[in-house]
Amino acid sequence: MIYILLSIFCSVTVAILLKLAKRYQISIIQAVTVNYLTALALCFFFFKPDVKLVTSAAPWPIYIALAILLPTIFLFLAASIKNLGIVKTDIAQRLSLFIPILAAYFIFQEDFNYLKIIGLCIGFPAILLTFLRKTEEDKKGNWVYPVMVFVGFGVIDVLFKQIALYKALPYTTSLFTVFCLSFIVSLIIVTVMVIHGKIKIQLVNLACGLILGLFNFGNILFYMKAHKALAENPSTVFAAMNLGVIIVGSLIGIIAFKEKLTKLNYLGILLALAAVVFIKLSQDAV
């Protein structure tokens, strides 16, 4: 259970750091770039990936797609937290699990039980109610950010599941490869922006990226350790992680950052929790 708690702590801390980025005028793209370099180094240290196994036969289209999506969606994640807050962004990220569930049904032809169908039916209204609010900010199109987070993380999850099915390479070696490519993509973006005078390299951005990378990798490491420690109960890890992030993230957003929510938003949060519970029960029933 300690690994699940540590993973929740790391996940919520990443959201808090991105929330504070605006206050301290942090360049998100610079921080994201260093974040992937840090994750790359930690992945090499903890997982000892054998890069010699990565050949032309590896699933490169999936690697490249992830390398582009990861930093891109990270930027949308930061923009969503900045404009709509931790509560709504965390729920968008967590409910993105519905995309791989739908992919499992439509693409991989997996069977659905009634519990999973109930979870999906509850989940989509939860998304709408959570993001629903009548303010001037919404008229600026800020709702696009959490929608991109929802879709982006869902697609990323599907692609990572595809990598997990590729048995010729250890999953951690593929993860290392993806981090490496993501760093290269982020570095290219930063280089182009510096050349065009859009940003300046600053030490504070590099320091923030280092801290961000530590917690981002910590989330992945402890989540994997939790699955290993509770190998016979993967759905318990899944449920505890998603419910924990929604609850803790919501409390921090509301109490620490004074994020304003309507009664319909609170109803959306409750429905999101219920949806995760039904998905968890559906996995136990299989």
Side-chain angles (χ1 to χ4, degrees):
M1 195 65 183
I2 185 64
Y3 291 132
I4 295 175
L5 293 174
L6 288 170
S7 184
I8 291 170
F9 171 75
C10 289
S11 179
V12 174
T13 301
V14 168
I16 293 172
L17 290 171
L18 293 174
K19 179 75 173 181
L20 294 172
K22 179 182 178 181
R23 183 180 301 178
Y24 297 102
Q25 297 182 324
I26 301 298
S27 169
I28 296 298
I29 185 59
Q30 290 183 53
V32 167
T33 303
V34 178
N35 152 77
Y36 284 120
L37 180 61
T38 304
L40 190 63
L42 291 172
C43 188
F44 185 82
F45 178 78
F46 281 99
F47 299 143
K48 304 292 191 298
D50 189 354
V51 293
K52 293 179 181 178
L53 296 175
V54 183
T55 65
S56 58
W60 285 102
I62 298 177
Y63 288 166
I64 293 170
L66 282 169
I68 295 170
L69 275 173
L70 283 173
T72 303
I73 298 304
F74 213 128
L75 294 178
F76 277 108
L77 179 71
S80 181
I81 290 173
K82 174 184 173 182
N83 290 282
L84 290 177
I86 293 174
V87 179
K88 297 184 177 185
T89 304
D90 270 346
I91 290 174
Q93 183 178 352
R94 292 300 146 185
L95 290 186
S96 65
L97 62 92
F98 292 136
I99 291 178
I101 288 173
L102 291 173
Y105 180 75
F106 289 107
I107 299 175
F108 305 114
Q109 307 298 313
E110 290 185 14
D111 292 330
F112 268 29
N113 56 37
Y114 73 96
L115 291 171
K116 190 168 290 187
I117 294 172
I118 292 173
L120 290 171
C121 291
I122 294 174
F124 288 111
I127 296 167
L128 294 175
L129 291 172
T130 302
F131 299 149
L132 189 65
R133 72 181 196 182
K134 297 177 181 179
T135 67
E136 290 299 317
E137 288 298 312
D138 286 338
K139 293 179 181 179
K140 297 177 182 179
N142 288 335
W143 58 270
V144 172
Y145 301 127
V147 169
M148 289 302 297
V149 168
F150 172 77
V151 175
F153 274 101
V155 173
I156 286 169
D157 197 354
V158 172
L159 292 175
F160 270 122
K161 280 181 169 59
Q162 288 292 93
I163 286 178
L165 294 174
Y166 186 75
K167 301 300 183 182
L169 276 176
Y171 183 77
T172 49
T173 299
S174 289
L175 189 64
F176 177 82
T177 306
V178 169
F179 281 152
C180 185
L181 293 173
S182 297
F183 170 67
I184 293 171
V185 170
S186 300
L187 187 61
I188 291 172
I189 295 172
V190 168
T191 302
V192 171
M193 292 180 75
V194 169
I195 291 173
H196 286 84
K198 300 291 185 181
I199 58 173
K200 293 182 179 179
I201 302 296
Q202 294 177 306
L203 187 60
V204 65
N205 298 320
L206 305 184
C208 183
L210 177 62
I211 298 170
L212 192 66
L214 287 171
F215 285 104
N216 199 19
F217 180 79
N219 176 31
I220 297 170
L221 176 66
F222 293 127
Y223 188 64
M224 291 178 69
K225 282 184 173 292
H227 271 294
K228 187 175 181 180
L230 298 170
E232 296 181 359
N233 297 287
S235 62
T236 300
V237 178
F238 161 85
M241 180 64 189
N242 285 283
L243 290 171
V245 170
I246 290 174
I247 293 170
V248 176
S250 296
L251 289 174
I252 290 176
I254 295 166
I255 297 171
F257 294 102
K258 311 299 181 185
E259 294 179 5
K260 296 180 180 179
L261 300 176
T262 66
K263 291 180 181 179
L264 288 177
N265 295 155
Y266 282 112
L267 177 59
I269 294 172
L270 291 175
L271 287 177
L273 294 173
V276 173
V277 170
F278 274 104
I279 296 298
K280 189 265 183 187
L281 292 173
S282 74
Q283 291 178 328
D284 289 342
V286 174

